[in-house]
Amino acid sequence: MIKVSAAAKILKAGGVVSFPTETVYGLGARADCDSGIREIYRLKGRPSFNPLILHGDSFEMLEEVVDIPPHYRQVLYAFWPGPLTAVFAKKNKSSVSKLATAGLSTVAVRIPQHPLALELLKAVGSPLVAPSANISGSMSPTQAVHVQSCFPDVPVLDGGACTVGLESTIIDLTGEVPQLLRPGGVSLEDLETAFKTSFQVRDPGTELPVTAPGQLKRHYAPDQPVRLNAGAKHAGEIWIGFGDVSGADLNLSPQGDLSEAAQNLFQTLRQAESFGVSIAVSSVPNHGIGAAINDRLQRASVPKGEGCE
Ligand code: TXA
Ligand code: MG
């Protein structure tokens, strides 16, 4: 475990550090640094066609890299810092590494809310790319120990357990109609209210062409099979409940609180995984952040061998 000043020093020198955000822990490198970014792809085993999210501490820092259309500024002020990522056109003269954007002409950017992430960005003084700090296709880390057990050689800035617990919502603001690419910490309902328009929603079952990356099918997956919408436990399973269910071994939120369930999701899946048996999960309401929980659960339930991110 390291301090912000030490983490900033490593990043400035082109290295990789894991840092906390309000959503999940990220594996960070400077956005203009090919060597650090190459190391991130290597560590994660991530395909080079899958671009990274760029993090800034302010609109000013993000605008070194992307053009934010003026009519979107005001509404984005309401969400940033926070668990929302927006895709914009890349500035012609931006210094962001082509490795980070996988050669695309767009960049996904966000301002994270965690105080240590903001402190780190200020100390480095330039944008950081950070995918979730897990091996591609496996569950995202919501505590420093999750990162340490996955990447023992990567220095980690410990900011405690992540409060949101699943990744940022990703929206594409490059077209005429805003598009939801990944459900996450900000709900579609809140976005549509704030943007005063309906979003185009990509069917989570469809895979995007390689030129417009997003998520592939199997992801966020424990080692064992996951069975969804379980109303009871089958023999030999471990059962993750939601709300007032009796007989569940673990529970995402006994009160049926969706924010609490999101916060507990990956940690609970990890706990269930440690039993080494098949995992059953209760149904979770699909509104608000429940849509993001169900997206992750659905991807976790895709059998091994089907494309993973
Ligand atoms: O909450 C989060 O967003 C976390 C924390 C660390 O900030 N990061 C995260 O990064 O979830 P990652 O790499 O695990 O997921 C990034 C997603 C990928 O699905 C990628 O394809 C998509 O963002 N993405 C990145 N750049 C894009 C772009 N220009 N257009 C469309 N999708 C993009
Ligand atoms: Mg990820």
Side-chain angles (χ1 to χ4, degrees):
M1 301 290 178
I2 47 166
K3 292 205 160 69
V4 169
S5 53
K9 206 168 160 190
I10 296 169
L11 290 166
K12 281 184 186 167
V16 171
V17 163
S18 175
F19 65 92
T21 79
E22 76 282 21
T23 59
V24 301
Y25 276 74
L27 208 48
R30 265 175 39 185
D32 59 358
C33 175
D34 283 353
S35 63
I37 294 167
R38 221 175 259 122
E39 180 63 0
I40 287 178
Y41 279 94
R42 189 191 68 77
L43 284 163
K44 280 183 65 79
R46 180 173 176 121
S48 59
F49 61 75
N50 192 3
L52 308 178
I53 294 178
L54 184 141
H55 300 65
D57 68 356
S58 58
F59 275 72
E60 290 67 35
M61 196 181 272
L62 297 184
E63 284 176 320
E64 290 169 18
V65 175
V66 290
D67 289 315
I68 301 181
H71 61 284
Y72 284 137
R73 282 187 78 94
Q74 208 54 41
V75 58
L76 287 166
Y77 271 124
F79 291 102
W80 282 340
L84 179 70
T85 295
V87 175
F88 294 112
K90 187 171 79 166
K91 271 203 158 87
N92 278 339
K93 287 205 172 118
S94 106
S95 60
V96 62
S97 160
K98 283 198 174 57
L99 299 177
T101 58
L104 296 179
S105 59
T106 57
V107 191
V109 300
R110 82 180 190 99
I111 305 177
Q113 203 171 33
H114 197 292
L116 283 186
L118 291 169
E119 223 184 288
L120 182 64
L121 284 159
K122 278 194 178 63
V124 176
S126 68
L128 298 175
V129 287
S132 50
N134 53 279
I135 304 283
S136 259
S138 67
M139 288 176 286
S140 300
T142 54
Q143 297 174 23
V145 288
H146 300 160
V147 183
Q148 281 179 316
S149 63
C150 187
F151 302 119
D153 297 331
V154 173
V156 185
L157 192 57
D158 188 352
C162 301
T163 52
V164 175
L166 43 72
E167 297 79 355
S168 60
T169 301
I170 305 181
I171 57 176
D172 185 336
L173 296 178
T174 59
E176 263 177 33
V177 182
Q179 204 187 351
L180 178 76
L181 297 182
R182 175 176 76 181
V186 172
S187 73
L188 178 60
E189 293 91 325
D190 286 351
L191 287 170
E192 293 189 327
T193 304
F195 282 78
K196 297 193 176 66
T197 186
S198 297
F199 276 54
Q200 228 174 54
V201 179
R202 196 166 55 77
D203 174 358
T206 60
E207 289 189 27
L208 292 177
V210 166
T211 47
Q215 304 154 292
L216 305 180
K217 263 183 169 173
R218 180 176 154 90
H219 198 176
Y220 313 108
D223 261 346
Q224 295 87 10
V226 175
R227 183 171 68 86
L228 302 184
N229 303 319
K233 175 174 163 169
H234 293 174
E237 282 180 338
I238 179 132
W239 183 21
I240 302 176
F242 172 83
D244 186 16
V245 293
S246 60
D249 304 292
L250 302 165
N251 200 313
L252 293 172
S253 168
Q255 278 85 48
D257 178 311
L258 288 171
S259 296
E260 186 186 29
Q263 202 179 354
N264 290 335
L265 178 68
F266 289 126
Q267 168 61 18
T268 309
L269 282 171
R270 280 170 197 270
Q271 250 179 297
E273 185 183 38
S274 70
F275 286 83
V277 297
S278 293
I279 301 167
V281 191
S282 287
S283 67
V284 174
N286 204 40
H287 57 81
I289 201 171
I293 298 174
N294 284 320
D295 171 80
R296 306 305 187 270
L297 286 173
Q298 197 275 326
R299 289 173 200 281
S301 73
V302 172
K304 271 188 182 166
E306 297 195 22
C308 65
E309 187 173 323

